[in-house]
Amino acid sequence: MSILILGIESSCDETSAAIIQDTKILANIIAGQEVHRNYGGVVPELASRAHQQNIIPVVDQAIKQANIQKNQLDAVAFTRGPGLLGSLLVGTSFAKAFSLAMNIPIIEVDHLKAHILAHFIKKDETQAIPEFPFLCLTVSGGHTQIVRIDDPYTFSTLGQTIDDAAGEAFDKAAKIMGLPYPGGPVIDKLATTGNAEKFSFPEPKVPGLDYSFSGLKTSFLYFIRDALKKDANFIEKEKANLAASIQRTIIEILMKKLNMAVKETGIRNIALAGGVSANSELRKALQKAGNNNSWKVFIPEIEFTTDNAAMIAIAAYYKYLEKDFCSQDVTPYARSSFQKK
Ligand code: KG4
Ligand code: ZN
């Protein structure tokens, strides 16, 4: 007998609902929030309001697209954290109410584990899924981690950022250049026509497998400020080269620690996850490292890189198998216990 789960994601600025039948996705609906564009970042209060408006239509659409009846669902799952508390509350409250109304169990999911488990979503028969144990470089707007995964329930964080996340480095660099939010995809596109070697920025010196991106942001800011004093059109003239150069630096920083993690653990199954894993050059860099070092690499489908509820539903599927349900008094958390510190 197959298991049908409704997954809800509302941790940041994407309201999403997905239906999964075992590991197969029947629907994955995502409503973005244009409202933040003019602010150069996510405005928490506006995000929670938009989630409230979007949640019911998004769930409704997912159920329709999956071509199921809501009384066929075996469980409802939601992102408990980490994320913006006001945003998380919308998904949490919806899941609780839905579970009461339909008399089905609730499953709470950690957003970071879900990004990783997105690799187990079944798209077609030929798709390769990571073999255990594997390492995952999770790079998103809020997190940057190297995680060791031994099975769908056992995750250990080997390294993580001590300040900004890789996605924030993209977004902040874009903001400094006057580009819209989120900056990652804009920089990715601009970089395709730029010279990545034109400018260089210092790499952080952080011990072990941890990352740091705040120094890079500051040196990028000062570099641009000084250049603008000499030429007011500097950004306009150099934007493709700036985008390509900052992107190259971020990718070099990410890949360096990943290489170290492989050497330290001897694990050669390597996956990529999170919003920044949509980056075309990062995907190429991992593929290249895989070819050169005989790693087996697992690069997610673009649709499962940025925040989506399909990843919540697949993570919930594994919890369902263990009957790992939660009660009506569950509350969201802003930070994950899964983070090292
Ligand atoms: O995983 P995600 O959707 O949300 C969080 O959990 O944070 O990640 C969003 C982040 C943003 O910082 C965005 O700029 C970045 O992912 N991003 C990219 C690309 N697409 C999204 N960064 C670089 N290149 C991209 N193509
Ligand atoms: Zn995310």
Side-chain angles (χ1 to χ4, degrees), residues 9 11-14 82-83 111-112 115 138-143 165-172 174 180-189 247 250 273-283 302 304-308 311:
E9 156 63 31
S11 65
C12 191
D13 59 343
E14 240 89 44
H111 183 86
L112 298 177
H115 266 303
T138 309
V139 270
S140 73
H143 309 278
E168 261 175 297
F170 274 103
D171 296 339
K172 287 179 177 173
Y181 175 85
V186 185
I187 291 201
D188 191 352
K189 189 151 179 259
Q247 175 173 277
I250 295 170
V276 181
S277 66
N279 185 268
S280 54
E281 286 301 319
L282 177 61
R283 294 165 82 91
I302 292 283
F304 302 130
T305 55
T306 46
D307 291 348
N308 65 87
M311 69 186 198

Side-chain angles (χ1 to χ4, degrees), residues 137 144 146 160-162 209-213 253-254 257-258:
L137 175 65
T144 300
I146 299 176
Q160 66 185 6
T161 183
I162 56 167
L209 298 177
D210 284 341
Y211 287 109
S212 165
F213 287 100
I253 296 170
L254 290 172
K257 294 289 169 100
L258 185 60

Side-chain angles (χ1 to χ4, degrees), residues 30-222:
I30 305 170
Q33 301 182 356
E34 285 299 313
V35 66
H36 308 290
R37 267 196 170 258
N38 299 334
Y39 297 91
V42 177
V43 184
E45 180 55 31
L46 296 179
S48 10
R49 282 165 199 259
H51 282 303
Q52 278 179 325
Q53 282 167 357
N54 292 342
I55 188 110
I56 292 181
V58 160
V59 169
D60 206 40
Q61 209 179 328
I63 290 174
K64 284 203 183 95
Q65 199 184 90
N67 202 16
I68 60 155
Q69 301 297 318
K70 59 179 184 299
N71 59 10
Q72 287 176 269
L73 286 164
D74 295 292
V76 55
F78 68 99
T79 307
R80 187 172 170 199
L84 301 169
L85 275 180
S87 292
L88 290 163
L89 260 176
V90 178
T92 308
S93 314
F94 180 89
K96 286 185 190 179
F98 194 86
S99 129
L100 271 181
M102 304 308 297
N103 197 21
I104 51 175
I106 328 174
I107 301 172
E108 51 109 350
V109 170
D110 184 281
H111 183 86
L112 298 177
K113 291 181 183 170
H115 266 303
I116 299 172
L117 292 173
H119 280 279
F120 296 86
I121 297 170
K122 198 166 175 183
K123 286 285 281 188
D124 58 57
E125 300 307 321
T126 59
Q127 166 207 350
I129 54 171
E131 291 156 35
F132 298 109
F134 68 95
L135 298 182
C136 186
L137 175 65
T138 309
V139 270
S140 73
H143 309 278
T144 300
Q145 295 185 308
I146 299 176
V147 182
R148 174 190 170 126
I149 301 95
D150 285 284
D151 61 49
Y153 310 97
T154 315
F155 298 75
S156 14
T157 306
L158 307 181
Q160 66 185 6
T161 183
I162 56 167
D163 43 54
D164 290 353
E168 261 175 297
F170 274 103
D171 296 339
K172 287 179 177 173
K175 193 172 177 183
I176 293 167
M177 288 168 66
L179 301 171
Y181 175 85
V186 185
I187 291 201
D188 191 352
K189 189 151 179 259
L190 266 178
T192 55
T193 56
N195 171 5
E197 305 296 330
K198 176 105 192 234
F199 305 110
S200 39
F201 305 101
E203 285 196 19
K205 296 204 172 19
V206 186
L209 298 177
D210 284 341
Y211 287 109
S212 165
F213 287 100
S214 71
L216 179 62
K217 171 198 65 191
T218 312
S219 58
F220 190 68
L221 176 72
Y222 290 166

Side-chain angles (χ1 to χ4, degrees), residues 194-201 223 234 237-238 240-242 244-245 248:
N195 171 5
E197 305 296 330
K198 176 105 192 234
F199 305 110
S200 39
F201 305 101
F223 173 76
F234 177 74
K237 283 188 201 149
E238 296 288 354
N241 297 330
L242 285 167
S245 302
R248 171 187 57 80

Side-chain angles (χ1 to χ4, degrees), residues 271-332:
L272 202 56
V276 181
S277 66
N279 185 268
S280 54
E281 286 301 319
L282 177 61
R283 294 165 82 91
K284 277 188 216 156
L286 185 66
Q287 200 67 61
K288 192 169 158 206
N291 294 342
N292 292 347
N293 304 307
S294 357
W295 301 348
K296 264 195 190 167
V297 303
F298 302 90
I299 296 175
E301 299 262 342
I302 292 283
E303 117 175 72
F304 302 130
T305 55
T306 46
D307 291 348
N308 65 87
M311 69 186 198
I312 305 305
I314 186 83
Y317 167 75
Y318 290 106
K319 288 190 135 191
Y320 188 95
L321 297 180
E322 297 288 300
K323 300 271 174 281
D324 185 357
F325 306 137
C326 61
S327 70
Q328 279 288 335
D329 46 26
V330 62
T331 49

